[in-house]
Amino acid sequence: MHASKECQHPLSWSESGFSLDSFSFVFLPGGRDRAVRQILDDTTVHSLLAEYFPQARRPNGVKAVGAICHGVLALANAEDADGQILGAYYKTYGAGSEDVEDSVKKCLKDPEKQ
């Protein structure tokens, strides 16, 4: 894998013309490392996710998005073309279900300290 062209010459979301359209899966890692923090606050990443995420919600199942830990924040903070935040879509069981954060907070001893 390390010898592959893709590993030796990774793509950068900050390059002009970069798009997620050719990808069938986008994974957003978690953690608090500097490499992760940059995707959480980057408006370019948010725009790319806002364009890609609706494709992953289609029933054909061709596109998918995965996120863990802090990676979920990149989705939650992304806005679509109408200024709607994707966080409203990020629910475990669809319409009518709670946001994941709300569900988790109910299980915590002291949600305000988390």
Side-chain angles (χ1 to χ4, degrees):
M1 182 172 141
H2 290 284
S4 71
K5 176 185 145 196
E6 292 82 4
C7 190
Q8 295 296 315
H9 304 284
L11 300 174
S12 173
W13 72 77
S14 61
E15 289 182 21
S16 177
F18 178 83
S19 173
L20 293 172
D21 288 340
S22 64
F23 294 89
S24 58
F25 182 70
V26 172
F27 176 74
L28 302 163
R32 291 184 263 173
D33 186 80
R34 185 173 13 141
V36 174
R37 286 192 310 234
Q38 66 182 327
I39 68 168
L40 302 181
D41 297 326
D42 191 277
T43 56
T44 300
V45 171
H46 294 172
S47 294
L48 290 165
L49 291 171
E51 292 172 14
Y52 185 88
F53 193 68
Q55 298 176 55
R57 297 183 68 229
R58 293 191 180 130
N60 65 11
V62 175
K63 306 270 186 180
V65 176
I68 188 168
C69 193
H70 285 81
V72 174
L73 292 173
L75 282 172
N77 292 321
E79 293 183 2
D80 65 14
D82 296 327
Q84 298 296 310
I85 296 175
L86 294 182
Y89 294 116
Y90 203 75
K91 296 179 183 265
T92 305
Y93 297 108
S97 68
E98 296 180 306
D99 289 321
V100 174
E101 179 183 2
D102 293 337
S103 296
V104 171
K105 281 185 174 182
K106 286 182 179 179
C107 300
L108 300 174
K109 184 176 182 177
D110 188 352
E112 298 305 316
K113 290 186 178 181
Q114 303 301 318

